[in-house]
Amino acid sequence: MKAIESSTIAVLAEEPSVARDIARVLGADKRGEGYLQGNGYVVTWAIGHLVSLAQPHEINPEWREWRFDLLPILPGHWPLVIFERTKDQFEVVRKILTSARVSRIVYATDAGREGELIFRYIYEAIESKKPVSRLWISSLTSDAIRKGFEKLRPGSEYDRLADAASGRSRADWLVGMNLSRAYSILYREELSVGRVQTPTLAMVVDREPTLRRFVPEDYIEVVATFRRRENPSQETYEGTWFRSQTGSGKDKDAQGEHLSITCRWPGSPQHHSSCSCGRSRHRVTFI
C-alpha cells in the first residue's frame, strides 16, 4: 500500500507487535529507534499508556498530605503527565507526530474505549493540531488491515467514545484517590481502593472456596456426523439434528434420526489472542 500524499503519514499503534503487523502490510520495512518507516509511512507505537492523569500533589501541592479535612479531592482541571518508565518512547512518538514532514496521523490503537483514550491523551500531551484518521479493526490479518486502511474514518467521528473514555478515567481517579486515602487514614495502614480493582478482588475472593472444593471428573464430548438423504455420499456436517413430529413444535415431541456416531478427543483449544478474547467477552457480557 502506498500513501496517497507525497508527504509522510504517521501511524500510531498501541503495541510494538501491532505496529510490526501494520508496517508489514504498508511496506514500512526500514527499522528505526522506536519506529518503522517506508513507502510514505512511518509507523510507531505506544507501550500501553504513555500518558496519564496527574497525581493529586502534581495538581495541588497541598494534596500531598493525606488528611480527612482535605477530602474529597475534586480537581478543577485535569493536567496530564508522562510516565517516567516509558518517557523515551513518548519522545519518539512526539517527534514523529509533530514532525513537519508528517501531513496527517492515523491512530491504530485498539478498537475500543481504552484504545481511544491512549491516543487522545498522547495527542493532547504533544499539543498536535494535525488531522487524524481512525483505523478501526478487530483482526490483525493482512486482509483486515488493508480493508481497514481503505475505510479510514475521521477521528472526530469517535469524539463521543473519547468523552466516555475520559469520563471513565476521571471516575477511576476520583474513586481511587479519595477512597484509598479515606480507608488508609481510617485503618491506619496504606490501603488501595479502586473502582474496578476492589470489586474484581471481591469476586476472586468469593470464587476461591468454590475452586478449592472442585473435584475434576473425566468427560467425553460426542460429535455426530450427519449425511443428507438426498446425497449421502458427498454432503456431511457435524452437529445435532432433531426432526419435530407433525403438528407439534415442542421439544419433548422431537425425534432424532438413527445415525452411527463416533467419539473422538477434540484436543485442547488454542490460547486466546487479544482479539478472540475480546470477541468472547462481547458474546458473554454484550459490552
Side-chain angles (χ1 to χ4, degrees), residues 169-185:
S169 178
R170 294 179 183 184
D172 285 349
W173 192 100
L174 290 169
V175 170
M177 295 302 176
N178 285 290
L179 292 187
S180 292
R181 292 182 178 216
Y183 277 91
S184 296
I185 295 168

Side-chain angles (χ1 to χ4, degrees), residues 18-92:
V18 176
R20 287 193 293 269
D21 289 337
I22 293 174
R24 184 177 63 253
V25 173
L26 297 179
D29 52 6
K30 298 177 182 176
R31 184 176 296 276
E33 190 64 37
Y35 64 92
L36 295 155
Q37 65 176 345
N39 203 28
Y41 294 92
V42 55
V43 183
T44 187
W45 53 83
I47 307 172
H49 284 275
L50 300 180
V51 181
S52 72
L53 295 174
Q55 295 292 307
H57 66 273
E58 294 172 315
I59 302 173
N60 182 351
E62 187 182 43
W63 289 341
R64 186 180 293 274
E65 296 184 55
W66 289 35
R67 303 196 327 246
F68 260 128
D69 61 296
L70 295 177
L71 299 179
I73 297 172
L74 301 172
H77 64 292
W78 298 88
L80 300 174
V81 295
I82 313 306
F83 279 120
E84 184 66 23
R85 66 180 182 274
T86 52
K87 66 178 182 180
D88 291 342
Q89 183 60 24
F90 173 81
E91 189 60 23
V92 171

Side-chain angles (χ1 to χ4, degrees), residues 137-158:
I137 55 176
S138 299
S139 172
L140 290 173
T141 64
S142 296
D143 188 52
I145 293 171
R146 289 191 191 96
K147 288 180 178 179
F149 270 89
E150 291 169 1
K151 299 178 180 179
L152 293 174
R153 306 300 303 167
S156 58
E157 292 189 8
Y158 297 88

Side-chain angles (χ1 to χ4, degrees), residues 37 81 85 114 150 205 207 213-214 238 240 242 250:
Q37 65 176 345
V81 295
R85 66 180 182 274
E114 199 66 19
E150 291 169 1
V205 171
R207 183 68 174 163
R213 292 193 301 266
F214 175 73
E238 293 183 348
T240 304
F242 286 93
K250 296 182 180 180

Side-chain angles (χ1 to χ4, degrees), residues 172 175-176 180 191-204:
D172 285 349
V175 170
S180 292
L191 299 173
S192 176
V193 180
R195 184 184 65 88
V196 176
Q197 164 194 308
T198 302
T200 302
L201 179 59
M203 291 168 63
V204 172

